[in-house]
Amino acid sequence: MPERGGEIAFDRSLAGLTGIVVKGFLLTLVTFGIYRFWYATNLRRFFWSRTLVDGSPAAYTGHGRDLFLGFLVAIVLLAPISTGLSALSLLLPDSPLVASGLGFGVLFLLGQFALYRGRRYRATRTLWRGIRLGQDGSGLAYAALATAGWLLVLATLGLAFPFMRAALERYRIRHTLVGTSRMESDARGLAVLRSWLLLWALVAVPVVLLLALGLAEDGCGPTLDAALALPKERAEALPDWVPTGCDSVVQVLAAVFVVLLVVAAPTVLVLYPYYRARETRAFLSAIRLGEVRLVSHLTAWDLYRPYLAYIVQCLKLGVIITLVAAVLAVLATLFFGQAVSQNGEGPIFGMAIVVAIYAWYLAASVVLYVRVLKAGLWRAVAETTRISDAAALGAIVAAARGASSSLGEGMADALDGHGIIDIGL
């Protein structure tokens, strides 16, 4: 009997999303950022409810007050740590690198711990067909694994990056529960190593040239100049502005470095979605839940398309804003210019127009970011993923497991670790 495949779909209409974004943006401004916890909750509810797994939508049961209270508790817990790190820098005035390094290490560990606990919070607030997701494992173990992975990345000059990513992915997925069933992952860094090497080479070559440039400048002297000197006849034939000897090597290396940097920097930005598509496809296809497996067909173009659409929409918005500002300026001059100038309210009137247009631009930019980019990326990943042997999903049994603490999300927000702005798991 052939296996029944299941689809993961996303509602493309996005009805109601603009209202959520505009309300969230404005209330976050007037509450000096406090409303962002409720804003994030509303976004998650929207995206969860419009994502259908094998025909059934997910549900998010979290609350903004949980995130806000978790944030307050995290601030209380982090205050003495921050004070201790500041005191350490004062006690070691002659060793600023030691104090800074230790402080960075502590905050990095806390950040990774918070990210893992934040994911646990989101998982335990997620329901599908009445079955609650969950996550066990240790936040401290995850933080230690992330720290060891990044140290290995630094030691290998970036070559170990995909292996570090795969190790963290395996830990997260293998500690994710759907009811009483545990997810598994056999994600491997080798699956995306070739894609990563392309990006790595674009960064490594300019760095090597920069090191060579530094060594050449330090090594310039009479001995090296003599070794690199041209024959007298050829040297006299060159114009005075042409460098010779050691200076010629330094200037050639500097020119090559600048050219490569100008080419490599935008190329890395363009190719990063290509790597992310390969990584996402490999890691998703490595996930299984008993007899159920995910199969991803995500391509680089699926990720490029939302970015290109977002850029085009931003350009359109810029043109519209410019035209509206020009029209308002002309109308204000024609109809109100003389009266406003006589009352001495010209600067105030002009400032009001500028503030109104800028507020409109900010709100429209946030709407475009969420509707076009965020939703586009979410839809791209969802609609290119299928479920093999979806009939086995019926064997999943709900577990008597409660929701976890929101401290991890709050700490991630306090450390600016992307806990709150993360929509997905």
Side-chain angles (χ1 to χ4, degrees), residues 330-342:
V330 172
L331 292 177
T333 302
L334 292 177
F335 295 100
F336 306 105
Q338 186 174 359
V340 169
S341 61
Q342 290 177 352

Side-chain angles (χ1 to χ4, degrees), residues 276-294:
R276 288 289 292 165
R278 292 296 186 93
E279 182 189 80
T280 303
R281 184 174 66 191
F283 288 0
L284 282 176
S285 298
I287 295 175
R288 65 184 184 276
L289 181 66
E291 299 299 321
V292 181
R293 294 192 69 96
L294 293 183

Side-chain angles (χ1 to χ4, degrees), residues 142-158:
Y142 181 83
L145 180 63
T147 302
W150 276 107
L151 289 175
L152 183 61
V153 170
L154 293 175
T156 59
L157 302 179

Side-chain angles (χ1 to χ4, degrees), residues 340 345-355:
V340 169
E345 298 177 352
I348 299 176
F349 186 73
M351 183 63 68
I353 293 178
V354 170
V355 170

Side-chain angles (χ1 to χ4, degrees), residues 245-306:
C246 187
D247 290 339
S248 64
V249 175
V250 171
Q251 293 196 17
V252 168
L253 287 175
V256 174
F257 169 75
V258 171
V259 171
L260 284 176
L261 188 63
V262 170
V263 173
T267 305
V268 167
L269 293 177
V270 170
L271 288 181
Y272 186 69
Y274 164 79
Y275 169 75
R276 288 289 292 165
R278 292 296 186 93
E279 182 189 80
T280 303
R281 184 174 66 191
F283 288 0
L284 282 176
S285 298
I287 295 175
R288 65 184 184 276
L289 181 66
E291 299 299 321
V292 181
R293 294 192 69 96
L294 293 183
V295 180
S296 175
H297 301 285
L298 186 70
T299 65
W301 175 244
D302 293 322
L303 295 189
Y304 280 125
R305 188 162 43 220

Side-chain angles (χ1 to χ4, degrees), residues 225-245:
D225 274 333
L228 297 174
L230 294 173
K232 185 177 181 181
E233 304 80 23
R234 293 182 59 186
E236 291 177 349
L238 292 174
D240 294 337
W241 55 269
V242 176
T244 59

Side-chain angles (χ1 to χ4, degrees), residues 301-376:
W301 175 244
D302 293 322
L303 295 189
Y304 280 125
R305 188 162 43 220
Y307 280 105
L308 292 175
Y310 177 63
I311 293 172
V312 170
Q313 293 299 325
C314 285
L315 292 176
K316 288 182 180 179
L317 176 63
V319 172
I320 293 173
I321 292 292
T322 302
L323 292 176
V324 169
V327 170
L328 288 177
V330 172
L331 292 177
T333 302
L334 292 177
F335 295 100
F336 306 105
Q338 186 174 359
V340 169
S341 61
Q342 290 177 352
N343 295 332
E345 298 177 352
I348 299 176
F349 186 73
M351 183 63 68
I353 293 178
V354 170
V355 170
I357 293 176
Y358 184 64
W360 176 31
Y361 173 76
L362 285 179
S365 298
V366 174
V367 170
L368 289 178
Y369 175 74
V370 177
R371 282 188 65 95
V372 179
L373 185 57
K374 276 285 188 182

Side-chain angles (χ1 to χ4, degrees), residues 124-157:
T124 57
R125 265 69 175 185
T126 298
L127 297 175
W128 177 75
R129 292 181 179 174
I131 300 171
R132 186 180 298 276
L133 275 65
Q135 177 179 284
D136 55 15
S138 168
L140 291 175
Y142 181 83
L145 180 63
T147 302
W150 276 107
L151 289 175
L152 183 61
V153 170
L154 293 175
T156 59
L157 302 179

